[in-house]
Amino acid sequence: MIARTLILLTALILSGCQNSKPIEPFPPKPNLPYHAWYIGLQAPDYMESWVDGVDLTDVNDLMYERVFGGVASTRTPADNKGEARGWPERPGAGSSFPMSGIDLPEKITVRWQSLAEPEAYRASIDIPQWVRDEMRTERRVFCLFDNDYVYQYRKYIAIGVAPGGVAKFWLMGSCLEPLEIGRVEGEINPVGPYNGTSNGEFYRPPSPNAQHYIDTHGIPFGSW
């Protein structure tokens, strides 16, 4: 009797295993030569911006929403001593954040508030294959910080956001020359700031130094 019961239980267990849904696999672990790559945010002098969020799709077609956001790095020197027109010849990474556990990007979308206008924008860019190839390539470069030659990767994707909906993307390393990925003219975000959760209200007005520059020089649309 006990033997028959054990046989029936075993059959039920096996039947249940056969009918159960397969367990979904975890996303593949990125096969990168470093722990994480980075996204950085910046804006031209005085053109302060608040980034509502950066969304991306990686090479495995996995989508990630709001992997980074917040204040875009910018300079606001007093007495209008900065220059809002154009981008620096060698832009920095800006305020950056690691994309830990995320594979290299296929597409990046940035949503931001241009506080100088104010207006809310969004822009997307498809990342070319040469960018991902370069992100995996180690380069030898002389680094002033070390006063010596070092080996580095270009593992920073810097995003510059500007009034008028312009977004520019660079690939860079700490001591390596930045490479331009592309420039995108975005669109007004139809849902408004904060992805439509703030009833149209913007984050804050520009800082006093930024507002003084705008009042005396205006916004140099078309220079970015």
Side-chain angles (χ1 to χ4, degrees), residues 161-182:
V161 292
V166 173
K168 200 162 185 179
F169 298 78
W170 297 271
L171 178 64
M172 59 183 61
S174 300
C175 298
L176 293 162
E177 289 291 326
L179 304 177
E180 182 178 331
I181 300 173

Side-chain angles (χ1 to χ4, degrees), residues 4 15 18 20 51 61 63 65-66 70 101 108 149 165 167 191 200 220:
R4 286 187 62 190
S15 176
Q18 290 173 353
S20 62
V51 177
D61 205 30
M63 298 180 65
E65 293 186 345
R66 206 178 187 281
I108 295 176
Y149 283 92
V191 300

Side-chain angles (χ1 to χ4, degrees), residues 31-34 103-104 132-138 153:
N31 183 20
L32 301 175
Y34 35 76
D103 217 325
L104 298 182
R132 292 185 290 274
D133 292 341
E134 181 62 31
M135 293 177 79
R136 294 178 177 275
T137 303
E138 192 175 42
Y153 291 91

Side-chain angles (χ1 to χ4, degrees), residues 91-108:
S95 55
S96 58
F97 192 77
M99 300 294 107
S100 301
I102 300 177
D103 217 325
L104 298 182
E106 186 85 30
K107 181 178 181 178
I108 295 176

Side-chain angles (χ1 to χ4, degrees), residues 115-134:
L115 304 181
E117 299 173 77
E119 189 56 87
Y121 297 102
R122 67 183 181 189
S124 298
I125 188 171
D126 294 322
I127 304 300
Q129 183 60 46
W130 72 260
V131 173
R132 292 185 290 274
D133 292 341
E134 181 62 31

